[in-house]
Amino acid sequence: MALRLLMLGPPGAGKGTQAVQIARDHGVPKISTGDMLRDAVTSGSELGRQVKETVARGQLVSDDLIVELVRRRLADDDARGGFVLDGFPRTVAQAKALDGLLDGCPLTVVEIRVPDEELVRRVRGRRICESCGTTVSAFDGEPSEAQACKVCGGRLVQRSDDSETVVRDRLTVYWRETQPMIGYYESRETFRRVDGARSPKDVYAAIAEAVASVSGGR
Ligand code: AMP
């Protein structure tokens, strides 16, 4: 059965890293709204100019704008057979809009939980490849700008919104605006919560098990 998976959790929980692997295993695209917005900012498009400031401050861009972005992306051929969504939805309004877009297609929802201080530590150590967007986390050893990306050899840099001050603002936004959205899914039979304060391999195993248990119950 097609996998339509939402990865929920705060910045630094490991959503992006895990989403890449789960999407690869199921042969579906990983769709990250954060990546889409960063690409738009880098390309200097109209959208990029509109969202640049908001993303840099770690605040949420408007629901209308992000829902339209996701609506268009989900209409692409590669997303028709399933997808892993990373970073969307982030508000109750976005979650409701997504239900409308999916028109009853079954969703699997996984929330990754990690304590705040661990998140700050991880995000501070996170680097991203300037060329291909691969994320190198503190788990892989101490990432340094001197290292090259293992995938493409590109330069590793820190995301401007990964500075400690902006990370703390992003966590505040998360607890205020995104955590209440979890309540929108929590009571569904297809919702699972996993402990993300473990090694990426263990977290991956827990997510794979959660996804399998949801599919098995359908
Ligand atoms: P992320 O890479 O998911 O941490 O996203 C980086 C930034 O992009 C966030 O801090 C927001 O400014 C913006 N963003 C990404 N996804 C959304 C969303 N679903 N709703 C609003 N803003 C978003």
Side-chain angles (χ1 to χ4, degrees):
M1 169 172 306
L3 176 68
R4 291 185 176 81
L5 173 66
L6 304 188
M7 301 277 291
L8 308 182
K15 301 185 299 293
T17 307
Q18 301 292 350
V20 170
Q21 201 177 339
I22 295 266
R24 200 183 294 140
D25 288 355
H26 288 261
V28 295
K30 171 209 165 198
I31 300 176
S32 153
T33 44
D35 285 349
M36 290 163 88
L37 296 175
R38 276 186 290 281
D39 287 349
V41 170
T42 307
S43 75
S45 66
E46 175 53 32
L47 169 68
R49 279 195 292 275
Q50 263 176 283
V51 302
K52 191 173 178 184
E53 271 292 294
T54 312
V55 172
R57 284 186 290 112
Q59 302 298 312
L60 298 185
V61 308
S62 80
D63 289 334
D64 288 352
L65 192 152
I66 206 89
V67 167
E68 177 57 14
L69 200 66
V70 171
R71 185 188 68 74
R72 286 203 215 147
R73 181 63 187 89
L74 293 184
D76 287 344
D77 281 347
D78 68 334
R80 284 172 200 252
F83 50 78
V84 178
L85 266 172
D86 159 27
F88 179 92
R90 265 177 152 100
T91 63
V92 174
Q94 292 178 17
K96 288 185 175 166
L98 179 64
D99 274 346
L101 293 178
L102 295 178
D103 200 20
C105 280
L107 262 183
T108 301
V109 185
V110 172
E111 181 199 7
I112 310 181
R113 281 248 169 144
V114 177
D116 273 12
E117 281 318 307
E118 168 70 6
L119 293 169
V120 173
R121 192 186 70 75
R122 285 186 189 181
V123 173
R124 278 205 326 238
R126 176 159 81 175
R127 297 294 180 272
I128 185 168
C129 171
E130 226 179 18
S131 310
C132 72
T134 294
T135 297
V136 179
S137 72
F139 283 120
D140 301 335
E142 278 305 302
S144 98
E145 279 80 357
Q147 286 178 325
C149 169
K150 284 190 203 123
V151 177
C152 75
R155 202 160 68 100
L156 297 179
V157 294
Q158 186 174 44
R159 270 171 55 172
S160 56
D161 61 345
D162 275 353
S163 69
E164 178 150 357
T165 336
V166 182
V167 170
R168 292 200 184 273
D169 289 346
R170 287 163 64 202
L171 284 173
T172 306
V173 169
Y174 180 81
W175 289 110
R176 191 180 60 222
E177 307 196 37
T178 304
Q179 187 61 33
M181 178 213 63
I182 308 274
Y184 183 75
Y185 293 111
E186 222 167 15
S187 57
R188 295 190 185 182
E189 281 179 15
T190 57
F191 176 88
R192 300 285 184 277
R193 179 171 285 135
V194 304
D195 171 10
R198 296 178 285 173
S199 73
K201 203 165 148 245
D202 289 347
V203 176
Y204 178 76
I207 296 172
E209 195 184 309
V211 167
S213 76
V214 170
S215 325
R218 278 199 183 120

